Amino acid sequence: MTKNKSQRGFSLIELLIVIAIIILLGIISVVALNDQRGKARDAKRISDIRQVRTALEFYYSDENEYPVTITPIILGDISAQKLCSKKAGAFLPAETPCDQANPYMPLVPKDPLASGKYSYTGIAEGYDIVFTTEKPSSLGEAGTYHAHSQAIDRQAGNK
């Protein structure tokens, strides 16, 4: 029972090289996927902040002022899950009823990462929402941004 030279298989070295290439491609895919996840979370953050800004402008048009806070509040947190009228108390927990049929924002968004947050500070004439991006986005480089009635930028302040 001698082997015929025409019946050859792969050598151990060839198999190891193929396995190494597959592992390398897998690692590259995971790294690229994580980068895309960060960009997707940033796109959601920007969309969330734009929606909150729109709701705040509707609030302002009806109430003639923005929701006033003594200390910064975390949007989407237990205490600030919806945006109702000034009479009801502006940012309220989900179970608290609004005094109007349709709140300005029935579900205030929260940051897609558990460790992230949207921080709102408001005075009658303006507001400042602070949030952080992970990757470069349509706003610019990764970092902390401030949203107010005029724009979303890196400058703080109630404008």
Side-chain angles (χ1 to χ4, degrees):
M1 287 249 191
T2 60
K3 277 191 172 181
N4 188 350
K5 291 223 181 221
S6 64
Q7 294 180 344
R8 287 191 36 172
F10 293 107
S11 71
L12 182 59
I13 300 293
E14 291 169 332
L15 287 174
L16 289 174
I17 290 173
V18 169
I19 291 171
I21 290 171
I22 290 171
I23 289 172
L24 184 63
L25 290 173
I27 291 170
I28 290 170
S29 298
V30 168
V31 169
L33 183 61
N34 282 339
D35 189 51
Q36 292 304 314
R37 285 182 181 161
K39 288 181 181 181
R41 284 190 297 268
D42 286 343
K44 180 171 181 355
R45 285 181 183 100
I46 294 166
S47 173
D48 288 348
I49 296 302
R50 287 185 175 143
Q51 288 177 2
V52 171
R53 288 178 65 221
T54 300
L56 288 168
E57 292 308 316
F58 283 123
Y59 181 99
Y60 183 82
S61 70
D62 290 345
E63 308 289 344
N64 294 319
E65 68 180 28
Y66 294 104
V68 177
T69 61
I70 296 170
T71 59
I73 60 172
I74 306 304
L75 298 181
D77 193 7
I78 292 288
S79 62
Q81 294 176 322
K82 63 183 173 183
L83 176 59
C84 297
S85 70
K86 178 181 172 183
K87 182 176 164 185
F91 290 106
L92 298 172
E95 66 277 354
T96 305
C98 286
D99 62 339
Q100 74 242 52
N102 297 311
Y104 296 105
M105 189 165 241
L107 181 62
V108 175
K110 61 181 179 179
D111 192 276
L113 280 180
S115 61
K117 62 185 177 181
Y118 304 144
S119 174
Y120 174 89
T121 306
I123 59 173
E125 302 81 31
Y127 61 88
D128 184 37
I129 302 171
V130 181
F131 66 101
T132 303
T133 59
E134 301 171 54
K135 306 282 182 188
S137 66
S138 60
L139 299 176
E141 291 300 314
T144 301
Y145 286 88
H146 299 265
H148 43 83
S149 62
Q150 303 301 314
I152 300 174
D153 55 31
R154 288 186 173 261
Q155 303 300 314
N158 297 314
K159 297 184 179 183

